[in-house]
Amino acid sequence: MIESLNEIKKMRRIGVLTSGGDAPGMNAAIRAVVRTCMANDVKAVGIHNGYQGLINSDVVELDARSVNRITGEGGTILYTARCEEFKTPEGLQRGVQSCKYLGIDGLVTIGGDGTFRGAQSLANAGINTVAIPGTIDNDIACTSYTIGFDTAANTAIDAVDKLADTMRSHQRTSVVEVMGRHAGHLALYIGISVGATAILVPESKLDFEKDVIEKIREGRYNNKNHFIIIVAEGVGDTMGIADRLYKETGIETRVTTLGHVQRGGRPTARDRAMASRMGHYAVELLLKGGTNRVVCYRESKVTDLDINEALAMHKGLDEYTFRVASEIGI
Ligand code: ADP
């Protein structure tokens, strides 16, 4: 009888790195990777600073105890970085050499779609690589869930609730800029959760006059005394939007940019649990011989897809949620 998956593949060392923007829950994924390695008699190597650390062989041996109590910590114990050099053929070659020199038979990379492209290059160059989606933006098409999204949304909701207390007292309009890079998934989720009057996202074609200004005027007429407008950072010119709102409605308006606070904090239960499952899944996939795969969450299941296929997919905004948020934000 096969006692562990590793008897099939005989992997000796698996590396793990975090890359691109950090996200709460990455530590829980690292812990799961390391502990799953231990359970299968595989050594685990942590690579510092994403692909930069891979190029420089900047690594640390990890065992079950080195990842004690990190599940609840935000950020990433392995640090993260962006590395332009890795995108060049020479940089990639240095990364491949480094894996060979370090005896890394399999690699788990945690990050966004840039990180996936790096994983794809490594897999094409013969290094068994599996990627895990870690980004607060939830902008990865192949998966309905990315590690960090839930914590970031909850952090933002908490901040907007606090803002709303003071803004309501002064009968002001709050314009709140939230993260999400080029996508509006995070803004939409925050917007529906705080009961925003309007949610401005790069993907939507809102008629500003009708869907925002008129809505506020109507709300005022119906004795609504406070309006929350959520603006995704990808829309740009949040100050300009606030100025226009003030000029056209006459209601005092204040802008708050939540910024990097959304990337920090203790991960929620959902992020910890999902990251743990994805980390475990990634190692089992490597042990089964998987490479050039991305772990994803689809139809309420942790599963995996080919990275080439995953990167070719496009993620649109959830139109239904957008319609609900618009209709009830009156
Ligand atoms: P994220 O992973 O959050 O999307 P980035 O887009 O900044 O963040 O990508 C993280 C890193 O992944 C980059 O700094 C680079 O080292 C690597 N990377 C991104 N795109 C590619 C690519 N086309 N080929 C190889 N590596 C890439």
Side-chain angles (χ1 to χ4, degrees), residues 19-21 51 81-84 86-87 111-115 117-118 121 181:
S19 156
Y51 295 119
R82 296 204 158 87
C83 174
E84 283 305 307
F86 191 70
K87 296 183 184 172
D113 52 8
T115 300
R117 283 180 216 286
S121 305
R181 272 174 107 183

Side-chain angles (χ1 to χ4, degrees), residues 269-282:
R270 185 158 163 77
D271 274 329
R272 297 180 197 199
M274 287 295 281
S276 301
R277 291 164 67 189
M278 287 182 161
H280 179 270
Y281 191 100

Side-chain angles (χ1 to χ4, degrees), residues 15-95:
V16 54
L17 61 80
T18 48
S19 156
D22 66 326
M26 281 182 163
N27 281 328
I30 294 167
R31 173 177 174 273
V33 166
V34 173
R35 297 261 171 104
T36 310
C37 284
M38 302 297 109
N40 287 281
D41 292 325
V42 181
K43 290 206 173 355
V45 185
I47 297 152
H48 289 144
N49 299 315
Y51 295 119
Q52 188 64 58
L54 184 67
I55 283 180
N56 297 335
S57 300
D58 177 4
V59 298
V60 55
E61 297 282 338
L62 297 172
D63 62 22
R65 298 284 72 77
S66 4
V67 290
N68 275 352
R69 290 193 296 270
I70 63 168
T71 335
E73 275 180 34
T76 158
I77 61 159
L78 293 177
Y79 312 111
T80 182
R82 296 204 158 87
C83 174
E84 283 305 307
E85 187 186 351
F86 191 70
K87 296 183 184 172
T88 66
E90 298 75 30
L92 173 64
Q93 216 35 52
R94 284 186 65 193

Side-chain angles (χ1 to χ4, degrees), residues 140-143 298 305-315:
I140 298 177
C142 65
T143 181
R298 295 165 74 84
L305 266 184
D306 182 79
I307 294 188
N308 308 354
E309 208 181 308
L311 285 172
M313 293 164 86
H314 170 74
K315 188 174 207 167

Side-chain angles (χ1 to χ4, degrees), residues 82-268:
R82 296 204 158 87
C83 174
E84 283 305 307
E85 187 186 351
F86 191 70
K87 296 183 184 172
T88 66
E90 298 75 30
L92 173 64
Q93 216 35 52
R94 284 186 65 193
V96 171
Q97 290 307 330
S98 193
C99 286
K100 290 187 176 152
Y101 164 72
L102 295 164
I104 290 174
D105 307 306
L107 187 64
V108 178
T109 66
I110 309 166
D113 52 8
T115 300
F116 290 6
R117 283 180 216 286
Q120 183 185 40
S121 305
L122 279 167
N124 286 339
I127 306 295
N128 289 347
T129 308
V130 170
I132 295 179
T135 162
I136 66 163
D137 307 329
N138 200 15
D139 58 349
I140 298 177
C142 65
T143 181
S144 61
Y145 190 81
T146 61
I147 297 169
F149 175 74
D150 192 60
T151 305
N154 276 289
T155 301
I157 288 162
D158 187 48
V160 177
D161 283 348
K162 285 175 179 150
L163 263 177
D165 290 344
T166 161
M167 294 291 175
R168 200 177 302 110
S169 306
H170 289 268
Q171 304 193 52
R172 287 173 177 151
T173 295
S174 327
V175 173
V176 186
E177 185 185 291
V178 301
M179 280 186 157
R181 272 174 107 183
H182 310 296
H185 310 289
L186 186 60
L188 173 58
Y189 201 65
I190 294 166
I192 192 169
S193 305
V194 298
T197 302
I199 305 165
L200 307 187
V201 291
E203 298 90 338
S204 95
K205 297 163 201 71
L206 274 190
D207 178 336
F208 196 77
E209 195 60 40
K210 179 172 147 291
D211 300 323
V212 186
I213 306 279
E214 271 311 307
K215 210 170 171 191
I216 291 177
R217 285 195 187 122
E218 233 170 75
R220 215 353 114 75
Y221 184 76
N222 288 311
N223 298 321
K224 190 174 167 89
N225 63 5
H226 169 231
F227 304 90
I228 301 169
I229 312 297
I230 300 291
V231 182
E233 65 178 333
V235 171
D237 195 22
T238 307
M239 292 305 286
I241 291 168
D243 278 350
R244 187 168 166 199
L245 281 176
Y246 173 61
K247 283 192 187 111
E248 297 201 32
T249 64
I251 303 170
E252 247 191 279
T253 304
R254 292 284 187 277
V255 175
T256 305
T257 302
L258 296 185
H260 283 82
V261 72
Q262 293 161 100
R263 290 246 286 261
R266 293 175 69 75
T268 58

